[in-house]
Amino acid sequence: MNTARPTPGGGAGPATIATTGLMLFALFFGAGNLVFPPVLGASAGAHLPAVLVGFLATGVVAPLAAVVAVSTSGEGIVGLARRVGPRFGALMPLAVYLSIGPLYAVPRVATVSYELAIRPLLGLAGVDAGHWALPAHAAVFFTASVAVAARPSHLADTIGRWLTPALLALIAVLCTVVVASQPVVTRSAAPDYAAAPVATGLTRGYLTMDVLAATVFGIVVITTLHGRGLRTPRAVVRATAASGALAAGLLAAVYVGLALIGERTPGAADDGTALLRAAAARALGDWGVVIFAAIVLLACLTTSVGLLSAWAGYATAAPPALPVPARLRPHAQLLAGAVISFGLANLGLRAMIAVITPVTLLLYPVAITLVLVALIDAVAPGHLRAAYRVPVGVAGLLGLVAALAGFGVDAPAQLLAATGHWNDTTGWILPTLVAGALGIAADLRSGRWGRTASGH
């Protein structure tokens, strides 16, 4: 039974903030959140603080801003993207939902849950993890995901009150034991970490996909707060900001702890799953590995449930012009997403990362720009237009250059690099900021900043 109620003044009470924040943390904390921080710790060498600055910027601060942006508009990525234009409003959400759904994020959580949970358990049981193990795990994992996602009643309370505290407690024990008992392993920083630590951290933060996920999960938070009795936009924004701040603080603490584990665990610096397995075995013993595996499996399953549910809801309501079978019912969309995810999960984690990295270089600049303009629009007394179209267009164009370079088409990137002010991860930022200023100036000149309007 839900006992959380708004405060007499119409705001959210501490129980609501805590439960919602813990739920949001659990939704974000999936596969990449486990895999990438230990790699940072093992690969960065003396540059770890600078790498973490970049990683936390795109892996924590940007998702928090995205959640707040969604709450100010009352809409998800579909509503925000529509402010740029109708075509963009149709294609951008499709790309986001595919990348955080069945084409990458969902199969990734299945693969990582296998590497961190099932594979170590098979090893403890003396069972050889042959070629059959990953497909068998993926089949069971997605069957369970579909079963839970089809009936998601009270899932938020279950996550926020039980799963997240257990997960946080176990990670706290693991981090404390490893940091207190293990010395730092001497390693040289990997070339990209040494050459551009902040930019490398920014890129690794991209790969958590949390800004993209925030544009979807923000709606989940709003719905949850509405269920707690919060109705006014101001109360929802305040409660979302407070819940998001709690989730962001927890994410940052966990990321730093996991990075410190990677820094102190011997093994291949580029294999986060192996580093975590080794750390759990050394610090907690066999029973610790069992408990850690169970929590990881549940955390990844919860993320899979949330993302598959989001995909099914979007695909069911997608415009007919999009290449999505919108005539299918939600349960059929859910099943279709799980089947696609099952096939991709069996390619392995490294293969999926190699394919999706260029895509994130395109989507992340656009999503971050869209979120920042939405935050500005929330305080503007009118409704902006050029401030959306101009910087989002620039971010998209420069993101496309970086994405093409990731796929091996590097002529445009080389042309920009000749200016001496371009790299594929952060080169879009300054031009997009300039474009944003020009867009705001155009809206000021046209009177849109001061004009009261009912829509975009």
Side-chain angles (χ1 to χ4, degrees):
M1 180 181 295
N2 175 31
T3 59
R5 291 290 183 268
T7 61
T16 295
I17 296 298
T19 302
T20 307
L22 290 171
M23 176 198 71
L24 186 57
F25 167 85
L27 291 176
F28 280 133
F29 194 79
N33 312 76
L34 288 166
V35 171
F36 294 120
V39 173
L40 300 183
S43 303
H47 302 282
L48 181 58
V51 172
L52 283 174
V53 168
F55 184 81
L56 295 179
T58 50
V60 175
V61 177
L64 172 60
V67 171
V68 175
V70 170
S71 71
T72 61
S73 66
E75 299 174 295
I77 187 64
V78 175
L80 293 180
R82 197 180 297 122
R83 298 179 181 182
V84 179
R87 292 183 180 179
F88 182 86
L91 295 177
M92 171 66 177
L94 175 62
V96 169
Y97 273 96
L98 286 174
S99 62
I100 68 169
L103 293 191
Y104 176 54
V106 175
R108 184 178 70 177
V109 296
T111 303
V112 171
S113 64
Y114 166 75
E115 292 289 347
L116 289 181
I118 301 302
R119 188 172 176 180
L121 291 178
L122 291 176
L124 285 178
V127 178
D128 180 28
H131 295 297
W132 60 271
L134 177 57
H137 161 72
V140 175
F141 183 88
F142 288 120
T143 298
S145 296
V146 170
V148 176
R151 296 177 178 83
S153 59
H154 303 297
L155 184 60
D157 281 342
T158 301
I159 295 171
R161 295 184 181 185
W162 303 107
L163 175 60
T164 307
L167 177 61
L168 288 171
L170 183 59
I171 291 177
V173 170
L174 178 61
C175 292
T176 301
V177 172
V178 172
V179 172
S181 63
Q182 304 296 325
V184 174
V185 177
T186 302
R187 294 185 178 98
S188 298
D192 52 345
Y193 288 84
V198 175
T200 300
L202 287 170
T203 303
R204 299 305 182 268
Y206 288 174
L207 296 178
T208 66
M209 309 291 285
D210 280 347
V211 166
L212 302 182
T215 60
V216 174
F217 291 152
I219 291 296
V220 178
V221 173
I222 293 172
T223 303
T224 299
L225 294 174
H226 285 169
R228 301 292 195 271
L230 276 72
R231 299 296 179 185
T232 67
R234 185 177 182 182
V236 170
V237 170
R238 286 184 173 181
T240 301
S243 302
L246 173 60
L250 293 173
L251 283 171
V254 169
Y255 289 157
V256 172
L258 292 175
L260 294 178
I261 287 178
E263 188 182 35
R264 288 164 169 78
T265 304
D270 63 346
D271 192 342
T273 56
L275 290 169
L276 282 179
R277 283 200 309 266
R282 295 175 66 195
L284 299 174
D286 289 349
W287 280 109
V289 173
V290 172
I291 296 172
F292 183 71
I295 297 298
V296 167
L297 184 61
L298 289 174
C300 289
L301 179 64
T302 301
T303 302
S304 173
V305 169
L307 293 176
L308 283 174
S309 297
W311 163 255
Y314 165 77
T316 302
L322 292 179
V324 175
R327 294 189 184 92
L328 297 179
R329 294 183 178 181
H331 285 188
Q333 297 284 7
L334 192 65
L335 182 60
V339 169
I340 294 171
S341 299
F342 171 81
L344 292 177
N346 287 284
L347 295 177
L349 183 61
R350 292 187 179 181
M352 286 189 291
I353 291 177
V355 172
I356 202 62
T357 297
V359 177
T360 62
L361 292 174
L362 169 61
L363 291 180
Y364 241 72
V366 173
I368 291 175
T369 303
L370 193 59
V371 164
L372 292 178
V373 177
L375 291 174
I376 295 172
D377 198 11
V379 300
H383 291 259
L384 306 179
R385 177 173 295 171
Y388 280 100
R389 294 179 177 178
V390 177
V392 168
V394 170
L397 180 61
L398 297 179
L400 179 60
V401 171
L404 290 174
F407 283 117
V409 183
D410 54 2
Q414 289 178 354
L415 182 62
L416 291 175
T419 65
H421 300 285
W422 170 259
N423 67 66
D424 291 337
T425 54
T426 59
W428 63 274
I429 296 177
L430 181 58
T432 301
L433 289 175
V434 173
L438 293 175
I440 291 174
D443 282 332
L444 284 170
R445 185 175 182 179
S446 66
R448 293 189 65 83
W449 185 280
R451 180 188 309 152
T452 301
S454 58
H456 290 76

